[in-house]
Amino acid sequence: MTVNTYPSFETVRSVPGGGTECQYCGQVVIPEGFAYHHLISGQRRCDPVARNAHERYLSDNALRS
């Protein structure tokens, strides 16, 4: 896992309601020029704790399906 991951056009997905979220950490991101920043933290890079929690959530769901 890369700790300092930055959301980009390729790693951002649309969610219901018209928002966008980071595929790395699952947080809402807002476009800022050619980059994105996270709405909650206000930073461009993913929070390592949020990313770890999101990856655990995804792997748990994959195991259950």
Side-chain angles (χ1 to χ4, degrees):
M1 176 186 89
T2 304
V3 176
N4 292 327
T5 49
Y6 297 86
S8 65
F9 179 74
E10 295 86 18
T11 63
V12 170
R13 62 179 169 221
S14 297
V15 294
T20 52
E21 86 176 358
C22 177
Q23 289 182 345
Y24 293 128
C25 63
Q27 293 185 11
V28 175
V29 292
I30 298 173
E32 179 182 2
F34 293 107
Y36 290 88
H37 73 271
H38 294 82
L39 183 63
I40 295 172
S41 66
Q43 297 181 356
R44 288 191 176 164
R45 72 176 183 89
C46 295
D47 177 36
V49 175
R51 181 167 179 186
N52 284 338
H54 188 67
E55 287 178 351
R56 265 195 309 276
Y57 169 78
L58 292 176
S59 66
D60 286 349
N61 283 341
L63 291 174
R64 290 184 188 137
S65 57

